[in-house]
């Protein structure tokens, strides 16, 4: 999972750059609207909305933007109605890809995603083709910032985490989806700084990709999918060696 996790780190850096350009605001706004529509406008009783608001605050989205998105989701203000849609496919090398989207036109989204897959060496698949490869987990990222592995491991396990992965600049704490909120609260009470905290999907198995051309195709496909306005999250099970990933991502 080292290569895959390093890709996640690269994505977080990219998200920070996107936030500066305001690009990510559109996606977070849609997520807030859908979360409010499905679970109500009170973040205390709506974990999904609470997570969306936390993501909005992390990229400095103005409070009035957040409140407006909630009102639109609740139908208190006029706005476009969005629906969730999940798509599955295969990338170069047989890599499994799962896409979560929020769209106001499912037919358009399918057509555009099919075009992206085709252009970059992949193809859309039938529902259920790859979803079984992924499982829901809580993922909490703690920057190293002088913290020892022992210190983070002790706090995480005491809070109820399943696993702790150590990387050069950060720790990844894995939880069961039901224990996510408890673990996050426990880490905050322990005084650990949280760079990000969300429930996500992680692959049960990975596909090792060492061919540079195939790896480059995969990364191009991932980038184009993630840049699509209707796409909220893209999950894949590739495992590209870290050195190759850094080379292709321009992060040497």
């Amino acid at each position: 999972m080292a290569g895959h996790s390093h890709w996640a780190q690269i994505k977080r850096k990219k998200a920070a750059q996107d936030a500066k350009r305001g690009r990510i605001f559109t996606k977070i706004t849609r997520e807030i609207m859908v979360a409010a529509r499905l679970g109500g406008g009170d973040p205390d009783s709506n974990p999904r909305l609470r997570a969306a608001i936390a993501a909005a605050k992390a990229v400095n989205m103005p409070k009035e933007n957040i409140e407006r998105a909630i009102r639109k989701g609740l139908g208190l203000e006029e706005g476009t109605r969005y629906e969730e849609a999940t798509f599955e496919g295969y990338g170069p090398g047989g890599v499994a890809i799962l896409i979560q989207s929020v769209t106001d036109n499912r037919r358009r989204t399918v057509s555009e995603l099919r075009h992206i897959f085709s252009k970059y060496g992949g193809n859309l698949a039938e529902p259920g083709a790859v979803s079984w490869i992924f499982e829901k987990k809580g993922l909490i990222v703690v920057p190293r910032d002088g913290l020892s592995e022992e210190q983070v491991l002790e706090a995480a396990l005491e809070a109820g985490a399943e696993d702790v992965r150590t990387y050069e600049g950060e720790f990844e704490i894995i939880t069961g989806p039901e224990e996510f909120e408890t673990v996050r609260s426990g880490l905050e009470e322990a005084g650990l700084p949280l760079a990000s905290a969300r429930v996500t999907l992680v692959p049960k198995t990975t596909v090792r990709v060492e061919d540079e051309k195939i790896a480059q195709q995969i990364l191009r496909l991932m980038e184009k999918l993630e840049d699509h306005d209707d796409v909220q999250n893209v999950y894949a099970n590739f495992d590209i060696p870290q050195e190759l990933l850094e080379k292709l991502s321009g992060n040497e």
Side-chain angles (χ1 to χ4, degrees):
M1 287 296 290
H4 194 271
S5 294
H6 191 71
W7 169 246
Q9 295 170 37
I10 291 170
K11 284 204 299 181
R12 282 194 285 274
K13 292 176 184 176
K14 183 178 182 297
Q17 294 167 354
D18 286 348
K20 291 176 184 176
R21 298 197 303 266
R23 181 185 185 99
I24 204 169
F25 278 23
T26 299
K27 298 192 178 194
I28 293 178
T29 297
R30 291 185 183 186
E31 173 63 14
I32 291 173
M33 290 171 63
V34 171
R37 178 167 61 84
L38 296 177
D42 181 4
D44 289 335
S45 58
N46 185 343
R48 179 171 175 176
L49 178 60
R50 184 162 62 247
I53 292 173
K57 290 180 177 178
V59 295
N60 299 313
M61 180 182 284
K63 183 179 179 182
E64 55 267 27
N65 292 36
I66 297 173
E67 293 175 345
R68 188 183 308 117
I70 293 174
R71 290 196 298 272
K72 286 182 178 180
L74 295 173
L76 302 177
E77 281 191 22
E78 188 175 342
T80 304
R81 184 177 177 86
Y82 293 99
E83 64 170 321
E84 294 180 287
T86 299
F87 303 98
E88 302 175 41
Y90 293 99
V95 167
I97 298 176
L98 190 146
I99 301 165
Q100 293 175 337
S101 72
V102 173
T103 177
D104 62 340
N105 187 328
R106 185 186 181 100
R107 183 175 296 179
R108 182 203 66 226
T109 303
V110 170
S111 175
E112 292 175 353
L113 291 181
R114 181 176 288 114
H115 175 73
I116 293 172
F117 268 102
S118 176
K119 185 174 181 180
Y120 293 94
N123 61 277
L124 273 179
E126 294 297 315
V130 304
S131 58
W132 60 272
I133 294 173
F134 300 89
E135 58 183 342
K136 188 177 289 188
K137 292 287 183 182
L139 175 63
I140 302 170
V141 178
V142 176
R144 294 204 73 129
D145 290 345
L147 295 171
S148 70
E149 183 175 0
E150 183 180 359
Q151 182 180 359
V152 174
L153 184 62
E154 182 179 350
L157 295 181
E158 187 172 325
E162 290 183 0
D163 190 20
V164 177
R165 300 167 181 168
T166 304
Y167 300 102
E168 185 177 338
E170 63 191 23
F171 300 95
E172 286 186 354
I173 298 167
I174 311 298
T175 80
E178 294 80 13
E179 292 76 34
F180 171 71
E181 290 289 347
T182 301
V183 175
R184 181 172 68 172
S185 298
L187 295 175
E188 289 175 341
E189 290 172 8
L192 297 184
L194 308 186
S196 66
R198 62 195 177 99
V199 175
T200 185
L201 295 177
V202 299
K204 300 175 189 174
T205 61
T206 57
V207 175
R208 184 77 168 176
V209 179
E210 297 182 333
D211 182 277
E212 183 170 335
K213 184 178 180 180
I214 293 177
Q216 189 171 46
Q217 283 183 306
I218 292 170
L219 297 185
R220 284 178 177 170
L221 173 59
M222 292 289 290
E223 184 175 1
K224 293 300 179 182
L225 290 172
E226 290 179 336
D227 281 346
H228 193 284
D229 285 343
D230 294 345
V231 172
Q232 294 293 98
N233 298 293
V234 183
Y235 305 99
N237 73 333
F238 62 81
D239 180 12
I240 300 173
Q242 184 163 324
E243 298 77 16
L244 178 55
L245 192 53
E246 289 175 344
K247 176 183 178 182
L248 296 176
S249 303
N251 286 278
E252 293 178 291

